Amino acid sequence: MFKIVSIPGDGIGPEVVASAIRVINTLARQHGLEITIEEHLFGGASFDVHGEMLTQETLEACRKCDAVLLGAVGGPKWENLPHEKKPEAALLGIRKELGLFANFRPAKVYDALVNASSLKPEILAGTDFMVIRELTGGIYFGEPRGYDDTRGWNTMVYEHYEVERIARLAFDAAMKRKKQLVSIDKANVLESSQFWRNIVHEVHKDFPEVELIDMYVDNAAMQIVRDPKQFDVIVTKNLFGDILSDISGMITGSLGMLPSASIGSSHALYEPIHGSAPDIAGQNKANPIATIASAAMMFEHSFCMKNVADEIYSAIEKTLASGFRTADIANPEDTIVSTTEMTDAIVANLEAS
């Protein structure tokens, strides 16, 4: 028996989470799985009801479940709140409270969408790499931090254990793929990056089969756009990972295609990497694939059912190959389908497999 906490969140979050839950329930029936799903408020939706973005009730539910499925948080309605009360601050808080120190973001190009990107098809075809981002350290959490009328300041700091544990996770991931790991830093100007590099090389001694490549973050941004197929697994610190994973997302055509998994020692949270898209919220236009693929990552990493995850990816591939396109991935000549129509097609392909 598995227990999932569903957090629809804000904007298009409720729509895409509903799509993912349909997929989860379909697979539960097909495989005879007992899966319970318990919904909780978070982000702006929670603030409107409870006056706080993350309640203790939601946090405790997340601590007691097998996996958390999150839609999206934030929107213009809550932008003018104090920084510490904004939805984004609550998202950082839940990652910290659950110990979610590693973020996995795959950048995979489906064959049917090779023309959806701004990159040339011959550059893009065959791209399939994973960005592993350290998630609970670095400049987003370092102290001191703040600003006044004359200056603003943040602190980029890492402890040895923080770098070592993310490095080991990345080397493990590389061992399961092509045995290549690119560690991205800015060691030529940042002492914290030289510290990062030193520890990654220490851990490398335990994984001699993996080829380790060091790359500066500015060069990495260029290389991801120039030749994305050269990468297999990337590991990097919080700030750099935030930027590079979004670059990786856009080269594949749309952020609406890309899932993520935030993983710790005891808990895991799965979410699409796109935002809440308030401009299309409630219009049945959102692309549900990123959230459905996040559910696939849940089956693989939290439930240890890679075969079920592969069924989801196959259903997505077949649906795209059949010509189904939401607006974000459509070319001018394509027929655009709604969120529910895309979900219907994916579910139908799952049931037919």
PDB file of all heavy atoms in Angstrom, residues 281-307:
ATOM      1  N   ALA A 281      -4.842  29.655 -16.230  1.00  0.00           N
ATOM      2  CA  ALA A 281      -5.442  28.835 -15.171  1.00  0.00           C
ATOM      3  C   ALA A 281      -6.951  28.725 -15.355  1.00  0.00           C
ATOM      4  O   ALA A 281      -7.627  29.703 -15.686  1.00  0.00           O
ATOM      5  CB  ALA A 281      -5.136  29.433 -13.804  1.00  0.00           C
ATOM      6  N   GLY A 282      -7.469  27.519 -15.187  1.00  0.00           N
ATOM      7  CA  GLY A 282      -8.897  27.283 -15.284  1.00  0.00           C
ATOM      8  C   GLY A 282      -9.445  27.233 -16.694  1.00  0.00           C
ATOM      9  O   GLY A 282     -10.656  27.106 -16.893  1.00  0.00           O
ATOM     10  N   GLN A 283      -8.573  27.298 -17.701  1.00  0.00           N
ATOM     11  CA  GLN A 283      -9.019  27.326 -19.101  1.00  0.00           C
ATOM     12  C   GLN A 283      -8.838  25.989 -19.823  1.00  0.00           C
ATOM     13  O   GLN A 283      -9.093  25.893 -21.015  1.00  0.00           O
ATOM     14  CB  GLN A 283      -8.277  28.430 -19.860  1.00  0.00           C
ATOM     15  CG  GLN A 283      -8.506  29.820 -19.301  1.00  0.00           C
ATOM     16  CD  GLN A 283      -7.689  30.880 -20.026  1.00  0.00           C
ATOM     17  OE1 GLN A 283      -7.506  30.819 -21.242  1.00  0.00           O
ATOM     18  NE2 GLN A 283      -7.186  31.845 -19.288  1.00  0.00           N
ATOM     19  N   ASN A 284      -8.373  24.965 -19.122  1.00  0.00           N
ATOM     20  CA  ASN A 284      -8.193  23.639 -19.725  1.00  0.00           C
ATOM     21  C   ASN A 284      -7.198  23.685 -20.889  1.00  0.00           C
ATOM     22  O   ASN A 284      -7.346  22.963 -21.867  1.00  0.00           O
ATOM     23  CB  ASN A 284      -9.540  23.074 -20.191  1.00  0.00           C
ATOM     24  CG  ASN A 284      -9.528  21.557 -20.319  1.00  0.00           C
ATOM     25  OD1 ASN A 284      -8.711  20.868 -19.699  1.00  0.00           O
ATOM     26  ND2 ASN A 284     -10.422  21.027 -21.123  1.00  0.00           N
ATOM     27  N   LYS A 285      -6.162  24.532 -20.759  1.00  0.00           N
ATOM     28  CA  LYS A 285      -5.164  24.678 -21.810  1.00  0.00           C
ATOM     29  C   LYS A 285      -3.786  24.145 -21.412  1.00  0.00           C
ATOM     30  O   LYS A 285      -2.912  23.990 -22.258  1.00  0.00           O
ATOM     31  CB  LYS A 285      -5.001  26.161 -22.193  1.00  0.00           C
ATOM     32  CG  LYS A 285      -6.203  26.782 -22.858  1.00  0.00           C
ATOM     33  CD  LYS A 285      -5.917  28.254 -23.189  1.00  0.00           C
ATOM     34  CE  LYS A 285      -7.087  28.902 -23.916  1.00  0.00           C
ATOM     35  NZ  LYS A 285      -6.796  30.342 -24.230  1.00  0.00           N
ATOM     36  N   ALA A 286      -3.591  23.885 -20.141  1.00  0.00           N
ATOM     37  CA  ALA A 286      -2.251  23.537 -19.642  1.00  0.00           C
ATOM     38  C   ALA A 286      -1.801  22.172 -20.157  1.00  0.00           C
ATOM     39  O   ALA A 286      -2.604  21.267 -20.374  1.00  0.00           O
ATOM     40  CB  ALA A 286      -2.251  23.539 -18.121  1.00  0.00           C
ATOM     41  N   ASN A 287      -0.498  22.054 -20.345  1.00  0.00           N
ATOM     42  CA  ASN A 287       0.105  20.783 -20.737  1.00  0.00           C
ATOM     43  C   ASN A 287       0.279  19.926 -19.481  1.00  0.00           C
ATOM     44  O   ASN A 287       1.028  20.291 -18.581  1.00  0.00           O
ATOM     45  CB  ASN A 287       1.460  21.031 -21.391  1.00  0.00           C
ATOM     46  CG  ASN A 287       2.086  19.784 -21.973  1.00  0.00           C
ATOM     47  OD1 ASN A 287       1.672  18.672 -21.659  1.00  0.00           O
ATOM     48  ND2 ASN A 287       3.094  19.952 -22.816  1.00  0.00           N
ATOM     49  N   PRO A 288      -0.367  18.756 -19.422  1.00  0.00           N
ATOM     50  CA  PRO A 288      -0.268  17.931 -18.217  1.00  0.00           C
ATOM     51  C   PRO A 288       0.921  16.975 -18.222  1.00  0.00           C
ATOM     52  O   PRO A 288       1.136  16.255 -17.233  1.00  0.00           O
ATOM     53  CB  PRO A 288      -1.573  17.137 -18.255  1.00  0.00           C
ATOM     54  CG  PRO A 288      -1.800  16.918 -19.724  1.00  0.00           C
ATOM     55  CD  PRO A 288      -1.305  18.179 -20.410  1.00  0.00           C
ATOM     56  N   ILE A 289       1.691  16.941 -19.305  1.00  0.00           N
ATOM     57  CA  ILE A 289       2.704  15.894 -19.454  1.00  0.00           C
ATOM     58  C   ILE A 289       3.790  15.986 -18.395  1.00  0.00           C
ATOM     59  O   ILE A 289       4.249  14.964 -17.870  1.00  0.00           O
ATOM     60  CB  ILE A 289       3.301  15.916 -20.879  1.00  0.00           C
ATOM     61  CG1 ILE A 289       2.239  15.428 -21.875  1.00  0.00           C
ATOM     62  CG2 ILE A 289       4.558  15.048 -20.971  1.00  0.00           C
ATOM     63  CD1 ILE A 289       2.685  15.441 -23.322  1.00  0.00           C
ATOM     64  N   ALA A 290       4.218  17.196 -18.032  1.00  0.00           N
ATOM     65  CA  ALA A 290       5.274  17.317 -17.021  1.00  0.00           C
ATOM     66  C   ALA A 290       4.838  16.718 -15.695  1.00  0.00           C
ATOM     67  O   ALA A 290       5.632  16.064 -15.006  1.00  0.00           O
ATOM     68  CB  ALA A 290       5.661  18.783 -16.843  1.00  0.00           C
ATOM     69  N   THR A 291       3.587  16.926 -15.326  1.00  0.00           N
ATOM     70  CA  THR A 291       3.100  16.389 -14.051  1.00  0.00           C
ATOM     71  C   THR A 291       2.887  14.885 -14.146  1.00  0.00           C
ATOM     72  O   THR A 291       3.172  14.135 -13.199  1.00  0.00           O
ATOM     73  CB  THR A 291       1.795  17.090 -13.644  1.00  0.00           C
ATOM     74  OG1 THR A 291       1.950  18.504 -13.811  1.00  0.00           O
ATOM     75  CG2 THR A 291       1.456  16.808 -12.193  1.00  0.00           C
ATOM     76  N   ILE A 292       2.399  14.423 -15.290  1.00  0.00           N
ATOM     77  CA  ILE A 292       2.236  12.977 -15.493  1.00  0.00           C
ATOM     78  C   ILE A 292       3.601  12.292 -15.473  1.00  0.00           C
ATOM     79  O   ILE A 292       3.763  11.214 -14.876  1.00  0.00           O
ATOM     80  CB  ILE A 292       1.487  12.715 -16.813  1.00  0.00           C
ATOM     81  CG1 ILE A 292       0.032  13.186 -16.687  1.00  0.00           C
ATOM     82  CG2 ILE A 292       1.549  11.237 -17.193  1.00  0.00           C
ATOM     83  CD1 ILE A 292      -0.745  13.180 -17.979  1.00  0.00           C
ATOM     84  N   ALA A 293       4.599  12.910 -16.104  1.00  0.00           N
ATOM     85  CA  ALA A 293       5.956  12.342 -16.070  1.00  0.00           C
ATOM     86  C   ALA A 293       6.547  12.414 -14.665  1.00  0.00           C
ATOM     87  O   ALA A 293       7.370  11.568 -14.290  1.00  0.00           O
ATOM     88  CB  ALA A 293       6.859  13.057 -17.073  1.00  0.00           C
ATOM     89  N   SER A 294       6.140  13.405 -13.878  1.00  0.00           N
ATOM     90  CA  SER A 294       6.575  13.457 -12.473  1.00  0.00           C
ATOM     91  C   SER A 294       6.016  12.260 -11.713  1.00  0.00           C
ATOM     92  O   SER A 294       6.692  11.686 -10.846  1.00  0.00           O
ATOM     93  CB  SER A 294       6.109  14.760 -11.816  1.00  0.00           C
ATOM     94  OG  SER A 294       6.732  15.888 -12.407  1.00  0.00           O
ATOM     95  N   ALA A 295       4.785  11.862 -12.047  1.00  0.00           N
ATOM     96  CA  ALA A 295       4.219  10.658 -11.443  1.00  0.00           C
ATOM     97  C   ALA A 295       5.019   9.422 -11.851  1.00  0.00           C
ATOM     98  O   ALA A 295       5.195   8.496 -11.052  1.00  0.00           O
ATOM     99  CB  ALA A 295       2.755  10.504 -11.847  1.00  0.00           C
ATOM    100  N   ALA A 296       5.515   9.416 -13.086  1.00  0.00           N
ATOM    101  CA  ALA A 296       6.372   8.307 -13.525  1.00  0.00           C
ATOM    102  C   ALA A 296       7.632   8.236 -12.672  1.00  0.00           C
ATOM    103  O   ALA A 296       8.070   7.152 -12.255  1.00  0.00           O
ATOM    104  CB  ALA A 296       6.735   8.472 -14.997  1.00  0.00           C
ATOM    105  N   MET A 297       8.233   9.398 -12.385  1.00  0.00           N
ATOM    106  CA  MET A 297       9.414   9.432 -11.532  1.00  0.00           C
ATOM    107  C   MET A 297       9.076   8.942 -10.120  1.00  0.00           C
ATOM    108  O   MET A 297       9.889   8.301  -9.451  1.00  0.00           O
ATOM    109  CB  MET A 297       9.998  10.844 -11.483  1.00  0.00           C
ATOM    110  CG  MET A 297      10.512  11.346 -12.822  1.00  0.00           C
ATOM    111  SD  MET A 297      11.367  12.944 -12.713  1.00  0.00           S
ATOM    112  CE  MET A 297      12.971  12.432 -12.071  1.00  0.00           C
ATOM    113  N   MET A 298       7.869   9.208  -9.674  1.00  0.00           N
ATOM    114  CA  MET A 298       7.419   8.727  -8.371  1.00  0.00           C
ATOM    115  C   MET A 298       7.388   7.202  -8.333  1.00  0.00           C
ATOM    116  O   MET A 298       7.883   6.582  -7.375  1.00  0.00           O
ATOM    117  CB  MET A 298       6.026   9.289  -8.073  1.00  0.00           C
ATOM    118  CG  MET A 298       5.430   8.835  -6.749  1.00  0.00           C
ATOM    119  SD  MET A 298       3.691   9.345  -6.561  1.00  0.00           S
ATOM    120  CE  MET A 298       3.845  11.125  -6.605  1.00  0.00           C
ATOM    121  N   PHE A 299       6.831   6.609  -9.372  1.00  0.00           N
ATOM    122  CA  PHE A 299       6.797   5.143  -9.431  1.00  0.00           C
ATOM    123  C   PHE A 299       8.219   4.564  -9.440  1.00  0.00           C
ATOM    124  O   PHE A 299       8.482   3.534  -8.804  1.00  0.00           O
ATOM    125  CB  PHE A 299       6.034   4.674 -10.669  1.00  0.00           C
ATOM    126  CG  PHE A 299       4.542   4.604 -10.462  1.00  0.00           C
ATOM    127  CD1 PHE A 299       3.717   5.608 -10.935  1.00  0.00           C
ATOM    128  CD2 PHE A 299       3.980   3.543  -9.786  1.00  0.00           C
ATOM    129  CE1 PHE A 299       2.336   5.546 -10.746  1.00  0.00           C
ATOM    130  CE2 PHE A 299       2.602   3.460  -9.586  1.00  0.00           C
ATOM    131  CZ  PHE A 299       1.775   4.477 -10.068  1.00  0.00           C
ATOM    132  N   GLU A 300       9.135   5.238 -10.136  1.00  0.00           N
ATOM    133  CA  GLU A 300      10.499   4.721 -10.235  1.00  0.00           C
ATOM    134  C   GLU A 300      11.263   4.883  -8.931  1.00  0.00           C
ATOM    135  O   GLU A 300      11.880   3.930  -8.434  1.00  0.00           O
ATOM    136  CB  GLU A 300      11.248   5.407 -11.368  1.00  0.00           C
ATOM    137  CG  GLU A 300      12.679   4.931 -11.512  1.00  0.00           C
ATOM    138  CD  GLU A 300      13.400   5.511 -12.713  1.00  0.00           C
ATOM    139  OE1 GLU A 300      12.785   6.290 -13.480  1.00  0.00           O
ATOM    140  OE2 GLU A 300      14.597   5.194 -12.883  1.00  0.00           O
ATOM    141  N   HIS A 301      11.253   6.089  -8.364  1.00  0.00           N
ATOM    142  CA  HIS A 301      12.139   6.384  -7.242  1.00  0.00           C
ATOM    143  C   HIS A 301      11.531   6.074  -5.873  1.00  0.00           C
ATOM    144  O   HIS A 301      12.236   5.604  -4.976  1.00  0.00           O
ATOM    145  CB  HIS A 301      12.582   7.846  -7.298  1.00  0.00           C
ATOM    146  CG  HIS A 301      13.423   8.187  -8.480  1.00  0.00           C
ATOM    147  ND1 HIS A 301      14.742   7.812  -8.579  1.00  0.00           N
ATOM    148  CD2 HIS A 301      13.129   8.845  -9.635  1.00  0.00           C
ATOM    149  CE1 HIS A 301      15.243   8.233  -9.739  1.00  0.00           C
ATOM    150  NE2 HIS A 301      14.287   8.858 -10.399  1.00  0.00           N
ATOM    151  N   SER A 302      10.246   6.348  -5.686  1.00  0.00           N
ATOM    152  CA  SER A 302       9.635   6.111  -4.373  1.00  0.00           C
ATOM    153  C   SER A 302       9.021   4.726  -4.250  1.00  0.00           C
ATOM    154  O   SER A 302       9.062   4.118  -3.180  1.00  0.00           O
ATOM    155  CB  SER A 302       8.563   7.172  -4.089  1.00  0.00           C
ATOM    156  OG  SER A 302       9.153   8.408  -3.760  1.00  0.00           O
ATOM    157  N   PHE A 303       8.438   4.228  -5.344  1.00  0.00           N
ATOM    158  CA  PHE A 303       7.752   2.937  -5.281  1.00  0.00           C
ATOM    159  C   PHE A 303       8.597   1.799  -5.856  1.00  0.00           C
ATOM    160  O   PHE A 303       8.187   0.642  -5.816  1.00  0.00           O
ATOM    161  CB  PHE A 303       6.421   3.007  -6.036  1.00  0.00           C
ATOM    162  CG  PHE A 303       5.481   4.078  -5.550  1.00  0.00           C
ATOM    163  CD1 PHE A 303       4.442   4.525  -6.355  1.00  0.00           C
ATOM    164  CD2 PHE A 303       5.619   4.639  -4.282  1.00  0.00           C
ATOM    165  CE1 PHE A 303       3.569   5.511  -5.915  1.00  0.00           C
ATOM    166  CE2 PHE A 303       4.753   5.621  -3.839  1.00  0.00           C
ATOM    167  CZ  PHE A 303       3.724   6.065  -4.658  1.00  0.00           C
ATOM    168  N   CYS A 304       9.779   2.147  -6.397  1.00  0.00           N
ATOM    169  CA  CYS A 304      10.703   1.148  -6.963  1.00  0.00           C
ATOM    170  C   CYS A 304      10.020   0.285  -8.023  1.00  0.00           C
ATOM    171  O   CYS A 304      10.174  -0.944  -8.050  1.00  0.00           O
ATOM    172  CB  CYS A 304      11.301   0.280  -5.858  1.00  0.00           C
ATOM    173  SG  CYS A 304      12.255   1.223  -4.638  1.00  0.00           S
ATOM    174  N   MET A 305       9.269   0.927  -8.897  1.00  0.00           N
ATOM    175  CA  MET A 305       8.555   0.247  -9.978  1.00  0.00           C
ATOM    176  C   MET A 305       8.920   0.890 -11.311  1.00  0.00           C
ATOM    177  O   MET A 305       8.116   1.566 -11.939  1.00  0.00           O
ATOM    178  CB  MET A 305       7.037   0.314  -9.756  1.00  0.00           C
ATOM    179  CG  MET A 305       6.550  -0.420  -8.540  1.00  0.00           C
ATOM    180  SD  MET A 305       4.749  -0.346  -8.389  1.00  0.00           S
ATOM    181  CE  MET A 305       4.481  -1.348  -6.934  1.00  0.00           C
ATOM    182  N   LYS A 306      10.145   0.670 -11.738  1.00  0.00           N
ATOM    183  CA  LYS A 306      10.601   1.281 -12.984  1.00  0.00           C
ATOM    184  C   LYS A 306       9.777   0.798 -14.170  1.00  0.00           C
ATOM    185  O   LYS A 306       9.570   1.532 -15.139  1.00  0.00           O
ATOM    186  CB  LYS A 306      12.082   0.993 -13.219  1.00  0.00           C
ATOM    187  CG  LYS A 306      12.671   1.766 -14.392  1.00  0.00           C
ATOM    188  CD  LYS A 306      14.146   1.524 -14.554  1.00  0.00           C
ATOM    189  CE  LYS A 306      14.720   2.399 -15.653  1.00  0.00           C
ATOM    190  NZ  LYS A 306      14.042   2.187 -16.963  1.00  0.00           N
ATOM    191  N   ASN A 307       9.298  -0.441 -14.106  1.00  0.00           N
ATOM    192  CA  ASN A 307       8.484  -0.961 -15.203  1.00  0.00           C
ATOM    193  C   ASN A 307       7.203  -0.151 -15.383  1.00  0.00           C
ATOM    194  O   ASN A 307       6.771   0.114 -16.519  1.00  0.00           O
ATOM    195  CB  ASN A 307       8.137  -2.434 -14.959  1.00  0.00           C
ATOM    196  CG  ASN A 307       7.346  -2.648 -13.671  1.00  0.00           C
ATOM    197  OD1 ASN A 307       7.693  -2.065 -12.636  1.00  0.00           O
ATOM    198  ND2 ASN A 307       6.304  -3.456 -13.721  1.00  0.00           N
TER     199      ASN A 307
END
